[in-house]
């Protein structure tokens, strides 16, 4: 009976049995690889879901920072806080909403407290504490009002409010000082400084604007910048008028000379001596009533009196005795005249005496003249003009500078005289000079920032590097740890592998040949027999005894 022995390859083991058959080291590597891959996946998901944080507030004090953080926690708004600069950041989609809600709560307060101090007073507060809280609240409210200006970053107000006492004859007046911190590159105009002064002075009773001092963060006195001008006799309005007049003359010079020498080739400066003094004179003139001019009579009074009884006629009878006396006259100038007496001498002791007085008042001419000199009279004008050399281009296209002719300079000087209204009697002075202008120095170009110092590029590289690092870690966990462990789990045990190799290499479908005619051994079979003699023995045993 022929017997055929067929070698069958072993069936692959189940996954659970394959993993269980792995050594402990391979199991540990497989578990570590799976854990690393899971960590990478979780980190990538959290990175993708992390919100974009934006700045909510900066430069907050400790008190304001704590109040803002507490309010954000109550509103369930995530935030991050940085100690450097007091920066609080929230998600970008919640920045505006958070600011509005915090503003409704009065946050941040800017490090100052206002009249809310008065609202939280406790029972039993003394009068001194009430005055102190009121002063602190007033200072805080004034500081908040001043910080509303765009150029002011922060402000502090100090008030000196003396206690009023009715027993003092002279009460001490209050005073105030303001410290301003301006934004970088910002300045306050004169009108803004005056506005701050009047704001503080109007908020405190009996506080004069002169008692308010304003300084900036560098210690410069802002409220007293006009004292030097006032000491010279000019107030800000007069100084502005003087500067406007000088700029007007400069504009006239440049406008009339630039069409001749070209744009940017003329520079002018004008100094005006203006008299701002206000003078007023009054004169009274009297015209005498002399000469041929008629005199105006204001009033006339005549007094006539007679004393004694009428006497008997005296004198020589005749025509002269019967002639009436000549009427008396009172000339304006000349000696006075007595009344004529009757012919024959003075009246006797028993005669009649007559007395007549006349008083005449004349109008006296009076002229009153009032003269007021206008302010801002130009006393003297001084002008200096510099004209650049003419630029000439030769045939080769190369430009050179050549001075102007004396005739051209004289023409320019004549034009400037007419433009500014030059007056020799007034003592004006004019000087026109032709000189080459120095070429303006070009501003140094900023050095290019190296790539490794570019902040934007560094931020982009950090974000991309983090993402690439996560991808590399995932690939390393998959191909460096998990895949080798799975390969080891898929490889069959050495006995099963040897049986399969021998079965594939040696197939005996026909019956075994007679003894002495065995086939030549295969090299693979010989190698397997040498490496695993026990396995080969089992295979041969199955061949010999298949049952």
């Amino acid at each position: 009976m022929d017997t055929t022995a067929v070698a069958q390859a072993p069936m692959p083991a189940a996954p659970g049995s394959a993993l269980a058959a792995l050594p402990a080291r391979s199991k540990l590597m497989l578990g570590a690889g799976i854990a690393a891959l899971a960590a990478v996946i979780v980190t990538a998901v959290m990175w993708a879901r992390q919100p974009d944080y934006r700045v909510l507030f900066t430069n907050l004090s400790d008190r304001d920072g704590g109040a803002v953080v507490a309010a954000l926690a109550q509103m369930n708004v995530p935030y991050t806080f940085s100690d450097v600069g007091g920066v609080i950041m929230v998600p970008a989609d919640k920045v505006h909403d958070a600011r509005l809600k915090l503003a409704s709560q009065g946050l941040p307060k800017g490090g100052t407290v206002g009249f809310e101090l008065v609202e939280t007073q406790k029972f039993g507060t003394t009068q001194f504490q009430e005055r102190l809280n009121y002063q602190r609240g007033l200072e805080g409210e004034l500081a908040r009002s001043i910080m509303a200006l765009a150029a002011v970053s922060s402000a502090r107000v100090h008030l000196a409010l003396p206690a009023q006492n009715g027993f003092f004859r002279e009460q001490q007046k209050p005073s105030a000082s303001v410290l301003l911190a301006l934004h970088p590159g910002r300045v306050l105009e004169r009108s803004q400084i005056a506005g701050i002064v009047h704001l503080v002075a109007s908020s405190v009773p009996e506080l004069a604007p002169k008692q308010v001092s304003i300084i900036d963060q560098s210690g410069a006195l802002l409220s007293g910048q006009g004292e030097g001008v006032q000491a010279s006799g000019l107030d800000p309005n007069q100084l502005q008028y003087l500067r406007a007049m000088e700029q007007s003359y400069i504009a006239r010079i440049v406008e009339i000379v630039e069409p001749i020498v070209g744009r940017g080739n003329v520079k002018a400066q004008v100094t005006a001596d203006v008299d701002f003094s206000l003078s007023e004179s009054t004169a009274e003139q009297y015209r005498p009533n002399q000469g041929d001019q008629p005199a105006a009579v204001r009033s006339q009074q005549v007094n006539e009196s007679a004393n004694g009884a009428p006497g008997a006629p005296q004198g020589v009878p005749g025509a002269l005795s019967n002639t009436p006396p000549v009427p008396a006259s009172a000339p304006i100038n000349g000696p006075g005249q007595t009344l004529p007496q009757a012919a024959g001498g003075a009246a006797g002791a028993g005669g009649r005496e007559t007395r007549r007085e006349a008083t005449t008042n004349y109008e006296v001419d009076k002229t009153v003249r009032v003269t007021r000199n206008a302010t801002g009279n130009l006393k003297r004008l001084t002008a200096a003009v510099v004209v650049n050399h003419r630029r000439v281009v030769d045939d080769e296209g190369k430009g050179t500078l050549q001075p102007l002719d004396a005739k051209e300079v004289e023409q320019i000087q004549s034009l400037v005289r007419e433009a500014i209204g030059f007056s020799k009697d007034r003592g004006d002075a004019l000087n026109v000079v032709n000189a080459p202008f120095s070429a303006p120095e070009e501003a140094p170009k900023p050095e290019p920032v190296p790539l490794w110092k570019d902040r934007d590029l560094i931020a982009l590289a950090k974000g991309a590097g983090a993402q690439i690092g996560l991808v590399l870690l995932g690939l390393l966990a998959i191909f460096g740890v998990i895949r080798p462990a799975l390969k080891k789990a898929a490889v069959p045990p050495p006995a099963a592998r040897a049986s399969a190799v021998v079965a594939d290499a040696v197939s005996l479908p026909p019956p075994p040949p007679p003894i002495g005619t065995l086939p030549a051994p295969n090299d693979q079979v010989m190698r397997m027999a040498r490496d695993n003699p026990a396995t080969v023995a089992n295979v041969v045993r199955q061949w010999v005894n298949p049952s």
Side-chain angles (χ1 to χ4, degrees), residues 277-529:
S277 60
L278 177 62
S279 60
E280 180 178 350
S281 62
T282 304
E284 294 186 1
Q285 297 180 357
Y286 297 91
R287 189 176 63 180
N289 294 318
Q290 296 179 358
D292 299 335
Q293 299 293 334
V297 178
R298 176 185 297 179
S299 62
Q300 186 176 10
Q301 183 179 2
V302 178
N303 296 326
E304 185 176 357
S305 60
N307 296 328
Q314 297 178 1
V316 179
L320 294 179
S321 300
N322 298 328
T323 303
V326 179
S329 62
I332 297 177
N333 298 318
Q337 298 180 3
T338 59
L339 294 175
Q341 297 180 357
R352 183 180 180 182
E353 181 180 1
T354 304
R355 183 178 179 86
R356 184 180 182 183
E357 294 180 358
T359 303
T360 304
N361 297 322
Y362 298 92
E363 291 288 349
V364 179
D365 293 342
K366 179 180 180 181
T367 303
V368 179
R369 181 179 294 105
V370 178
T371 304
R372 295 180 180 178
N373 295 331
T375 60
N377 294 328
L378 182 61
K379 298 172 59 178
R380 187 170 182 270
L381 197 64
T382 304
V385 182
V386 180
V387 181
N388 192 15
H389 284 182
R390 179 186 291 108
R391 184 177 182 84
V392 179
V393 181
D394 54 11
D395 298 337
E396 298 179 356
K398 184 178 180 181
T400 57
L401 296 178
Q402 295 182 0
L404 302 179
D405 298 338
K407 185 177 181 180
E408 294 176 341
V409 176
E410 182 63 27
Q411 291 177 352
I412 294 175
Q413 190 169 6
S414 300
L415 289 175
V416 174
R417 282 197 189 98
E418 297 297 331
I420 64 176
F422 184 87
S423 176
K424 187 176 181 181
D425 298 336
R426 194 171 53 193
D428 295 350
L430 173 62
N431 190 9
V432 178
V433 177
N434 177 223
F437 289 1
S438 59
E441 297 182 359
E442 296 183 357
K445 296 182 179 179
E447 297 182 358
V449 180
L451 296 179
W452 60 87
K453 292 184 179 181
D454 192 352
R455 296 182 178 180
D456 297 336
L457 186 60
I458 291 175
L460 181 61
K462 287 182 178 179
Q467 297 178 2
I468 294 175
L470 291 177
V471 174
L472 292 179
L473 288 176
L475 295 176
L476 181 62
I478 294 174
F479 294 99
V481 180
I482 298 177
R483 185 178 180 183
L486 294 177
K487 281 186 176 181
K488 290 183 179 180
V491 175
R497 185 173 64 252
S499 301
V501 172
V502 172
D504 291 338
V506 181
S507 298
L508 299 175
I515 297 174
T517 61
L518 294 175
N522 193 354
D523 295 338
Q524 189 175 4
V525 175
M526 295 300 295
R527 189 181 305 108
M528 182 63 66

Side-chain angles (χ1 to χ4, degrees), residues 72-285:
L72 292 176
Q74 293 179 356
M75 293 186 296
N76 296 325
V77 177
Y79 64 88
T80 59
F81 182 77
S82 175
D83 295 335
V84 180
V87 179
I88 296 180
M89 303 179 67
V90 297
D93 56 343
K94 297 183 179 181
V95 172
H96 300 289
D97 188 20
R99 285 179 180 174
L100 292 176
K101 291 182 179 179
L102 293 175
S104 64
Q105 302 178 14
L107 296 175
K109 298 180 180 179
T112 59
V113 292
F115 283 130
E116 59 267 16
L117 285 174
V118 183
E119 299 176 357
T120 58
Q121 286 187 355
K122 299 180 180 179
F123 180 77
T125 304
T126 62
Q127 185 178 4
F128 173 77
Q129 292 176 343
E130 290 181 355
R131 292 183 62 255
L132 183 60
N133 290 337
Y134 171 76
Q135 181 174 344
R136 289 181 57 194
L138 183 58
E139 291 175 350
E141 295 295 336
L142 289 174
R144 292 176 181 175
S145 300
I146 296 173
M147 285 189 292
L149 298 177
V152 179
S153 174
S154 62
R156 294 192 65 183
V157 179
H158 302 277
L159 299 177
L161 304 178
Q164 301 297 330
N165 194 335
F167 296 98
F168 292 161
R169 180 173 300 176
E170 295 182 0
Q171 301 291 341
Q172 188 177 0
K173 300 299 182 182
S175 60
S177 58
V178 181
L179 174 62
L180 301 179
L182 305 180
H183 290 289
R186 300 289 188 89
V187 294
L188 290 177
E189 298 179 356
R190 170 58 52 184
S191 59
Q192 293 176 319
I193 297 174
I196 295 175
V197 170
H198 285 79
L199 172 66
V200 177
S202 302
S203 303
V204 181
E206 298 183 2
L207 177 60
K210 295 182 179 180
Q211 299 298 327
V212 180
S213 301
I214 300 178
I215 61 175
D216 60 3
Q217 66 269 27
S218 61
L221 183 62
L222 302 179
S223 59
Q225 291 181 353
E227 293 181 357
V229 177
Q230 296 176 358
S232 62
L234 299 180
D235 57 16
N237 294 331
Q238 293 175 348
L239 183 61
Q240 183 179 3
Y241 175 79
L242 180 61
R243 294 291 180 264
M245 178 182 291
E246 292 176 348
Q247 292 298 326
S248 175
Y249 282 112
I250 294 174
R252 293 181 187 179
I253 295 173
V254 174
E255 186 176 357
I256 199 171
V257 177
E258 270 191 346
I260 301 175
V261 298
R263 188 176 184 85
N265 291 325
V266 57
K267 302 293 181 182
Q269 289 294 331
V270 176
T271 302
D273 186 5
V274 181
D275 184 13
F276 291 100
S277 60
L278 177 62
S279 60
E280 180 178 350
S281 62
T282 304
E284 294 186 1
Q285 297 180 357

